[in-house]
Amino acid sequence: MKITDAAVFPYPNGDTSVRRFALEAGALGFDSLVAIDTPAATYGDVEVKSGILFHDLPVKDIINRMKRFRGTDAVISVKAGDGGFNRAVIGMKGMHVLRCVHAADKNAFDHVSAKMAADNAVAVDIDLSVITRSRGVARQRAMVRYRDILVLEQHYEFPLTLSTYARSVLDLRAVREFSGLCSLLDMDLAVVEKALGGIGAVTTPPVPAVREVS
Amino acid sequence: MTVRPPTLRDKRRYLVVRVDPPGTPVDQKELYYAIADAITALYGDVAAAVMIQAVVAAEGDYVFIRCRRGTERELATALSTITSLRDTRIAVRIIAASGTLESLRERIRAIPLPSLPEGENPDVLFDKKVFTPVYGNGQKIDVIEKGFKNTHRYFLISEDLEST
């Protein structure tokens, strides 16, 4: 299992080069990163996976754009929208991560979406930057949403991912800090460990139910 | 008021943290208020009163923070929510926790002091723009874009730089 930060934004989207991100992430205890709009590479011991993030697009456009990345190693993610939108994108072939669920409508990710996510091996991302950067009501609302997602996760067992949404090395957090921040959501260590390896779980092709024996 | 005997005193723990980016001037009082604000926002006044955190000393990029024993984990979590000091963006990296300041000082003494090489540091080229190096440590190099009023720091490594 590779410990992965599921979303960072290297230069030009942020102020840190992808190599520096990899160097710092390695020092903070990570094995891999998902770098949005950046080609995949390996720097030192840290694997950088290419990440694609679709946001504010209609379902039709997402389907068309997703075709381009099918079969590649890119981690494809979509920003959550309303309930219908989320169900549509979770059902898409090649979809990996549903992001920003905390910012979507209250009922945008319900038990039906949770069941679909579990069946299609689509992860739901927990954006820790909301907890570190925001204060007051905004943080409280996000924490309520995440707790709600965790209740569904316990029941349906869909994959989770954890991300910092770092645009700078200053936004990165150590693995130990991840577990401290997740403890605020009542996530125990086993769930945190599983979520840190969530990207590996959704990008690894599923084991076929039937195996051909020659 | 007489000093309490050791058995009646609160047990304390000390955390040593590094304030990133290196070279950021750290005012102890400002940092104390930033930590107090982070703890209160995250855990509330009750937990803050239990922690009784204090900024004991700031030595270079390293800061020693005291708290009541048993609350280190909560303090560490609160520290990870600090993103700025006044208007400067910072990150607080926890290096170690201990029961005595002396053992923490020994720990940071073992860490080599990073800096740019002495003398003139030539400007560097990155993404077809000219930058001035402000900090260097091994492969890491922090730069500021050359030009009037530019203060935004970019975090690179030596391999990112283009040859002039």
Side-chain angles (χ1 to χ4, degrees):
Chain A
M1 185 193 76
K2 284 194 166 181
I3 296 174
T4 309
D5 185 336
V8 298
F9 294 82
Y11 184 86
N13 295 319
D15 61 15
T16 303
S17 71
V18 65
R19 287 187 179 93
R20 179 69 179 267
F21 260 127
L23 191 73
E24 299 277 356
L28 293 171
F30 288 91
D31 301 316
S32 68
L33 292 174
V34 176
I36 306 295
D37 297 336
T38 306
T42 302
Y43 302 108
D45 297 333
V46 178
E47 184 191 355
V48 176
K49 288 174 188 275
S50 178
I52 309 294
L53 174 59
F54 297 118
H55 54 91
D56 307 323
L57 286 171
V59 175
K60 215 172 183 178
D61 287 0
I62 293 173
I63 293 170
N64 288 333
R65 292 186 188 200
M66 214 179 257
K67 280 177 191 165
R68 266 187 268 162
F69 301 101
R70 209 169 282 160
T72 65
D73 290 337
V75 177
I76 298 167
S77 46
V78 178
K79 187 180 173 188
D82 58 26
F85 176 87
N86 292 345
R87 286 179 201 181
V89 293
I90 288 169
M92 283 179 196
K93 198 181 169 192
M95 164 76 175
H96 293 127
V97 186
L98 186 69
R99 296 188 189 275
C100 300
V101 180
H102 68 275
D105 299 339
K106 198 179 172 187
N107 298 316
F109 190 80
D110 55 9
H111 62 287
V112 181
S113 312
K115 175 85 171 63
M116 283 180 75
D119 292 344
N120 293 302
V122 171
V124 176
D125 184 58
I126 292 182
D127 174 8
L128 293 176
S129 72
V130 186
I131 299 173
T132 56
R133 287 184 216 159
S134 60
R135 294 279 190 276
V137 178
R139 178 154 69 184
Q140 289 161 25
R141 276 195 191 140
M143 287 170 84
V144 168
R145 298 303 311 282
Y146 286 146
R147 279 171 185 270
D148 190 39
I149 288 165
L150 288 166
V151 170
L152 292 170
E153 187 273 334
Q154 276 183 351
H155 196 272
Y156 293 100
E157 297 186 337
F158 52 83
L160 290 173
T161 59
L162 297 173
S163 59
T164 53
Y165 271 64
R167 288 178 188 271
S168 167
V169 284
L170 304 177
D171 300 330
L172 282 179
R173 292 291 177 266
V175 176
R176 197 180 292 175
E177 289 172 300
F178 266 58
S179 89
L181 291 166
C182 288
S183 71
L184 299 171
L185 306 171
D186 283 343
M187 285 172 80
D188 58 29
L189 205 59
V191 179
V192 176
E193 278 176 6
K194 201 173 145 198
L196 284 166
I199 287 292
V202 293
T203 52
T204 311
V207 180
V210 179
R211 192 161 59 94
E212 195 178 309
V213 182
S214 57
Chain B
M1 198 170 74
T2 54
V3 180
R4 284 188 180 186
T7 50
L8 290 178
R9 287 180 207 159
D10 280 332
K11 298 281 186 274
R12 304 287 176 87
R13 294 284 275 178
Y14 299 90
L15 265 69
V16 63
V17 299
R18 190 185 69 231
V19 178
D20 277 352
T24 308
V26 178
D27 182 69
Q28 280 192 46
K29 206 169 186 178
E30 278 177 20
L31 186 63
Y32 168 81
Y33 284 119
I35 296 169
D37 179 51
I39 294 169
T40 310
L42 202 57
Y43 294 108
D45 291 334
V46 177
V50 173
M51 279 188 211
I52 27 175
Q53 60 86 18
V55 177
V56 180
E59 296 172 9
D61 292 329
Y62 296 95
V63 179
F64 297 89
I65 302 163
R66 188 180 65 202
C67 66
R68 182 176 279 172
R69 192 173 70 177
T71 62
E72 308 91 79
R73 197 178 155 82
E74 285 76 16
L75 177 64
T77 306
L79 290 175
S80 63
T81 66
I82 296 174
T83 53
S84 63
L85 196 59
R86 287 265 171 118
D87 296 329
T88 315
R89 292 191 60 219
I90 61 158
V92 179
R93 306 272 185 230
I94 297 143
I95 307 294
S98 176
T100 62
L101 276 175
E102 196 44 48
S103 63
L104 292 178
R105 287 212 169 92
E106 267 173 37
R107 186 117 182 208
I108 61 165
R109 247 178 250 138
I111 302 170
L113 283 173
S115 66
L116 281 174
E118 288 291 318
E120 190 77 12
N121 289 303
D123 291 342
V124 293
L125 209 59
F126 172 68
D127 197 24
K128 292 170 189 161
K129 292 177 200 159
V130 182
F131 291 88
T132 306
V134 289
Y135 170 80
N137 177 17
Q139 285 183 297
K140 295 177 196 174
I141 182 160
D142 298 357
V143 296
I144 289 176
E145 193 177 349
K146 209 173 167 75
F148 183 61
K149 281 186 178 176
N150 276 335
T151 55
H152 191 84
R153 199 161 170 156
Y154 289 84
F155 303 92
L156 313 173
I157 68 167
S158 45
E159 283 173 48
D160 292 319
L161 305 177
E162 297 159 24
S163 54
T164 46

